[in-house]
Amino acid sequence: MAAERRAPVIACSRLRMQTDGQGITTLVCFHGCPLRCRYCINKFSFDPETNREMLTAREIYDRVKQDALYFLATGGGVTFGGGEPLLYAPVLAAFREICGPDWHLCAETSLSVPWENVETAAGCIDHFYVDCKDTDPDIYRRYTGQDNGLMLSNLQRLVELAGPERIMVRLPLIPEFNTDADREKSERRLREMGLQHFDRFTYRTESG
């Protein structure tokens, strides 16, 4: 049963504002990621030595419910990140059944997971923050170590299933990997897919 499934939780970060969705949020970080991004700031999310707890949806709810009044007063809720939270989509769906419809649930995802995971998440997540990196397959592969075909296919299908208003695409400028021209090309392609909302920013590296 989905309610009995467990997911590896690294941490729960409370009382976050304007960083992981609307209102006041709690960020729940999961362990596990299919990508190996060159400038990853959360390498602990796939390090096998990282401490984590295997929790059910009910146990996650018990960790975050103390801030329910903040969520309801501000239109906030819980953001699932990591790592890749959609690896544990059945746990997210079970969490929604427990918390009810009033909390705003977000997911920060690469969409580099099987479509059935995305489809399950679309039924319980209010807003998706999609890390696109780049639509060019060579740039994406050099930066993440994976092909971007799955991500793009899932993104197109998610637009059709959930609607573009529920999706924010993050388009980074990544030093030594892509250019502003590459990013413009990515945005044009994504707009042709029906997407409307973009978060454009620049990675800061140790080399400056």
Side-chain angles (χ1 to χ4, degrees):
M1 296 177 59
E4 298 175 352
R5 294 192 186 187
R6 295 178 179 271
V9 175
I10 301 172
C12 297
S13 179
R14 298 175 56 212
L15 305 178
R16 299 168 68 92
M17 297 182 65
Q18 308 302 322
T19 56
D20 305 293
Q22 65 186 43
I24 294 175
T25 61
T26 292
L27 177 64
V28 177
C29 292
F30 293 101
H31 188 273
C33 185
L35 306 182
R36 293 295 182 268
C37 298
R38 295 290 294 276
Y39 297 145
C40 179
I41 61 172
N42 294 332
K43 292 183 179 180
F44 55 83
S45 68
F46 55 80
D47 185 338
E49 300 301 319
T50 299
N51 292 328
R52 63 259 196 196
E53 297 180 89
M54 298 300 297
L55 302 179
T56 65
R58 171 62 67 178
E59 289 169 331
I60 296 172
Y61 173 78
D62 288 340
R63 298 286 177 91
V64 303
K65 66 182 181 181
Q66 61 187 312
D67 292 324
L69 288 178
Y70 294 120
F71 300 159
L72 296 176
T74 66
V78 176
T79 296
F80 299 106
E84 176 51 70
L86 266 57
L87 290 172
Y88 315 104
V91 174
L92 306 188
F95 183 91
R96 169 60 86 185
E97 292 182 4
I98 295 167
C99 77
D102 295 330
W103 292 7
H104 192 80
L105 302 186
C106 299
E108 298 176 335
T109 175
S110 68
L111 291 184
S112 296
V113 297
W115 166 248
E116 53 264 31
N117 293 50
V118 182
E119 188 175 30
T120 297
C124 62
I125 296 297
D126 296 298
H127 201 90
F128 292 86
Y129 292 93
V130 177
D131 288 317
C132 177
K133 309 304 183 186
D134 205 284
T135 61
D136 182 279
D138 292 331
I139 294 173
Y140 191 93
R141 188 180 298 106
R142 284 194 300 113
Y143 183 70
T144 70
Q146 298 293 331
D147 183 81
N148 67 356
L150 179 60
M151 178 272 292
L152 290 172
S153 174
N154 283 340
L155 183 54
Q156 179 68 78
R157 296 176 73 178
L158 182 61
V159 171
E160 296 166 0
L161 178 64
E165 65 279 355
R166 290 171 59 189
I167 305 169
M168 171 73 76
V169 180
R170 289 172 169 163
L171 284 177
L173 179 62
I174 311 174
E176 301 180 19
F177 287 91
N178 68 356
T179 66
D180 271 321
D182 294 320
R183 187 163 58 171
E184 291 291 341
K185 184 177 179 180
S186 290
E187 183 171 335
R188 287 195 300 270
R189 179 175 180 181
L190 295 170
R191 286 189 181 278
E192 290 172 357
M193 293 167 58
L195 290 150
Q196 304 167 357
H197 305 292
F198 300 92
D199 179 15
R200 295 163 58 104
F201 57 97
T202 302
Y203 283 176
R204 294 187 178 182
T205 65
E206 293 181 358
S207 62

